[in-house]
């Protein structure tokens, strides 16, 4: 199937120009002015932007957590992603403690089987390592295209690893060319603070935030940076929320260390005011690290502008408010941690980042697509508009008025973190490898069109098959 997109304003991390894009056999084969080609489908993109399909490096679909399972499976989560202009994501496999990585991978592949709407890769979350077993198996994961290891420094008694496991994983990564990712919060200290709060009778959602202070995030971020430097491994700190964590990342980057950080959409818009809402509404905003005070919003905008932070993900980890979050009605520590976000990342960052002048359109594309693709071994197959790249393309109408509301979303959850927010600018047509996924309000493609993408090792490029000589 061939597609011709006429007269759109092509915006990549580097460029901004008007041209036609011709797509053949799933890849972009020609870009030029007034292309005289016939195509099976012609899309008039005059007055519209043509963006690369966005890449979300941080999601949790169909994941058991906190005594329940996230409400979005691969099909509903990826459908939400497609409507938001995201055509590729990297989801977390969680190694059940004591299980082999091969078993965990098989379990996660089975969850995706036949349901995939967009392309996806996997990170492996390491929860324990055994000498003569999983420690050795870890080194073979990059051969399967799993080129990043994630470790939780928080969630004591569940997902948290000790510094030995953290450091040994970093040592393996330094040998295998994998990128180490950390959830950086000091889980031991948080555990103490949570127990003290509950003993004092403080059970409301607000105490989720008050027992996970910025210092706990700053300390763990700095510890991970120092240990990764010692092990010689590249490090990516997920969901950075506050000055205490931005500063050590910025210092390490100034020193030339292989350290990167991401933040997530919600940390620019939600705050302690939200989690303090009465009648358990605050539970909608229970995710970790927690919401911070509003002063950190500017810290984060400055960080993504200056490249102290290099990517914006969603950490989509959706639960129902009514029926799942309510597990913690009488005890904030039992509220499943996580929030939805896959559908509205581009809406929110375009409106309050690009349109508000906080980041350029080029930088927006870099934060939402190009840098995630580069850091996670998907570039230039994903993350840009270029000849030879996958034809993952978003025709974006910068003038379309759109109101964000749970009533119209494609995620299965019953609320939205940005409920009622009005934005100008929304995806109009979304293509995955030349297949029309979304057109207007319709999902055009059927589940099964998405594929697993084996990723390249850290720092290496990934090319579409047709582009490989
Ligand atoms: Zn996460």
């Amino acid at each position: 199937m061939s597609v011709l997109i006429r007269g759109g304003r092509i915006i990549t991390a580097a460029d901004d120009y008007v041209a036609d894009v011709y797509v053949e056999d799933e890849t972009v084969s020609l870009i030029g002015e007034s292309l005289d080609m016939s195509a099976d489908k012609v899309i008039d993109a005059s007055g519209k932007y043509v963006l690369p399909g966005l890449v979300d490096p941080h999601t949790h679909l169909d994941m058991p957590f906190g005594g329940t399972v996230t409400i979005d499976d691969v099909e509903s989560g990826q459908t939400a992603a497609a409507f938001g202009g995201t055509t590729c994501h990297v989801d977390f496999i969680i190694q059940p403690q004591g299980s082999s990585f091969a078993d965990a991978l098989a379990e996660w592949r089975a969850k995706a089987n036949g349901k995939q709407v967009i392309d996806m890769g996997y990170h492996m979350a390491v929860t324990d390592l055994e000498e003569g077993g999983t420690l050795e198996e870890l080194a073979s994961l990059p051969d399967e295209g799993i080129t990043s290891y994630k470790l939780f420094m928080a969630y004591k008694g569940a997902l948290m690893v000790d510094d030995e496991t953290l450091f040994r994983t970093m040592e393996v990564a330094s040998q295998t060319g994998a990128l180490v990712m950390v959830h950086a919060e000091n889980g031991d200290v948080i555990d103490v603070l949570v127990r003290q709060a509950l003993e004092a009778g403080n059970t409301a959602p607000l105490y989720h935030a008050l027992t996970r202070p910025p210092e706990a995030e700053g300390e763990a971020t700095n510890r991970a940076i120092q240990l990764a430097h010692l092990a010689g491994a590249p490090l990516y700190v997920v969901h950075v929320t506050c000055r205490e964590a931005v500063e050590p990342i910025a210092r390490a980057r100034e020193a030339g260390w292989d350290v990167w950080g991401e933040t997530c959409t919600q940390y620019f818009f939600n705050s302690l005011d939200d989690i303090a809402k009465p009648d358990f509404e605050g539970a909608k905003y229970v995710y970790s690290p927690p919401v911070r005070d509003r002063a950190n919003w500017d810290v984060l905008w400055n960080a993504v502008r200056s490249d102290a932070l290099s990517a914006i993900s969603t950490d989509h980890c959706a639960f129902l408010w009514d029926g799942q979050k309510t597990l913690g009605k009488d005890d904030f520590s039992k509220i499943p941690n996580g929030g939805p976000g896959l559908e509205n990342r581009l809406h929110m960052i375009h409106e309050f980042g690009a349109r508000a002048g906080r980041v350029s359109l080029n930088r927006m594309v870099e934060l939402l697509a190009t840098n995630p693709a580069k850091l996670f071994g998907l570039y230039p197959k994903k993350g840009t508009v270029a000849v030879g790249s996958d034809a993952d393309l978003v025709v974006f109408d910068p003038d379309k008025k759109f109101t964000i509301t749970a009533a119209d979303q494609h995620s299965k959850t019953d609320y939205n973190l940005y409920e009622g927010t009005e934005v100008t600018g929304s995806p109009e047509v979304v293509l995955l490898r030349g297949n029309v996924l979304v057109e207007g309000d319709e999902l055009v493609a059927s589940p099964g069109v998405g594929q697993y993408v084996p990723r390249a090792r850290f720092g290496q490029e990934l090319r579409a098959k047709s582009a490989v000589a």
Side-chain angles (χ1 to χ4, degrees), residues 82-338:
F83 278 94
T86 293
T87 53
C88 184
H89 71 125
V90 192
D91 203 66
F92 288 92
I93 299 174
I94 312 287
Q95 173 206 16
Q97 266 163 355
S99 162
S100 76
F101 296 121
D103 286 350
L105 173 59
E107 193 186 330
W108 251 260
R109 295 289 294 265
K111 295 179 199 226
N113 201 7
K115 292 183 171 183
Q116 285 178 244
V117 177
I118 65 171
D119 285 355
M120 73 187 300
Y122 294 112
H123 312 288
M124 181 62 75
V126 176
T127 58
D128 71 357
L129 286 178
E130 206 185 325
E131 200 107 30
T134 41
L135 183 61
E136 287 69 23
E137 195 191 359
L138 190 58
S140 66
L141 285 177
D143 299 333
E144 308 277 342
I146 298 173
T147 53
S148 40
Y149 310 141
K150 158 87 175 282
L151 299 117
F152 291 90
M153 300 168 80
Y155 301 125
K156 190 173 182 179
L159 302 171
M160 182 173 129
V161 297
D162 58 15
D163 286 350
E164 180 181 346
T165 303
L166 174 61
F167 186 66
R168 295 193 82 170
T169 302
M170 289 168 165
E171 287 185 324
V172 173
S174 75
Q175 299 300 313
T176 60
L179 177 60
V180 175
M181 310 168 76
V182 285
H183 173 138
E185 286 187 292
N186 186 316
D188 283 314
V189 169
I190 288 167
D191 191 54
V192 171
L193 296 174
V194 168
R195 275 188 280 125
Q196 289 171 349
L198 291 173
E199 277 161 25
N202 296 322
T203 60
L206 173 64
Y207 288 90
H208 171 76
L210 300 184
T211 56
R212 310 181 81 99
E215 291 88 340
E217 186 182 336
E219 184 279 329
T221 301
N222 188 53
R223 180 162 31 115
I225 289 169
Q226 299 298 331
L227 295 180
H229 187 62
L230 185 60
L235 179 74
Y236 180 91
V237 183
V238 299
H239 49 41
V240 172
T241 71
C242 58
R243 181 182 301 283
E244 287 77 356
V246 168
E247 285 178 349
I249 293 169
R251 267 199 307 278
R253 292 178 59 72
E254 277 167 26
W257 294 11
D258 282 336
V259 172
W260 288 268
E262 94 183 355
T263 188
C264 313
T265 323
Q266 57 270 29
Y267 296 112
F268 295 105
F269 304 106
N270 295 159
S271 76
L272 291 170
D273 299 342
D274 294 305
I275 202 168
K277 285 179 181 167
D279 302 326
F280 201 61
E281 207 189 333
K284 295 175 180 174
Y285 305 89
V286 169
Y287 41 72
S288 296
V291 290
R292 303 296 185 194
D293 60 33
R294 287 169 177 245
N296 276 298
W297 294 353
D298 277 343
V299 171
L300 295 177
W301 284 117
N302 288 335
V304 294
R305 196 163 51 223
S306 66
D307 207 38
L309 299 179
S310 308
I312 302 172
S313 74
T314 64
D315 195 5
H316 183 93
C317 185
F319 297 101
L320 292 170
W321 178 67
D322 185 5
Q324 291 188 296
K325 291 282 186 180
T326 40
L327 289 168
K329 194 105 179 110
D330 304 314
D331 175 350
F332 70 87
S333 72
K334 296 194 167 64
I335 301 170
N337 282 205

